[in-house]
Amino acid sequence: MTSNRKVFDTLPLPKKGIIFLLDPDMCTPNYVQAVCVQAQRHEVSCLLVGGSILKKHSIQEAIDLVRKYSEIPIVLFPGPDQEISQDADAI
């Protein structure tokens, strides 16, 4: 996957970038699509996906939606171990 390299090219200092935190419980298809459109428009470096408590949606659902609407790299921002997914680009 080409996005893996993008994550690591973006994160070393002193290069600056924008990272956006996406809460899986907010991840309706319309919301994620809107976030991805804006993230691409503003050249977001990567999306952090995670939250402290998952009530409505899962990490996997959030990742699948982001992948559907964007190629922006995904970095997990996990709380409990249920928020780990092999489909993310980094943790």
Side-chain angles (χ1 to χ4, degrees), residues 5-67:
R5 188 70 250 154
K6 250 167 67 172
V7 171
F8 300 109
D9 288 343
T10 302
L11 297 180
L13 296 175
K15 188 173 180 179
K16 296 178 183 179
I18 300 170
I19 297 175
F20 183 86
L21 175 59
L22 187 62
D23 182 344
D25 281 333
M26 302 293 291
C27 288
T28 64
N30 289 338
Y31 177 76
V32 173
Q33 184 177 21
V35 166
C36 288
V37 165
Q38 291 299 318
Q40 290 174 168
R41 180 175 294 144
H42 295 287
E43 299 181 4
V44 167
S45 303
C46 65
L47 294 173
L48 293 176
V49 178
S52 57
I53 300 173
L54 295 178
K55 294 181 181 181
K56 300 178 196 171
H57 303 283
S58 73
I59 286 289
Q60 193 60 51
E61 289 173 302
I63 291 171
D64 291 344
L65 284 170
V66 171
R67 293 273 187 242

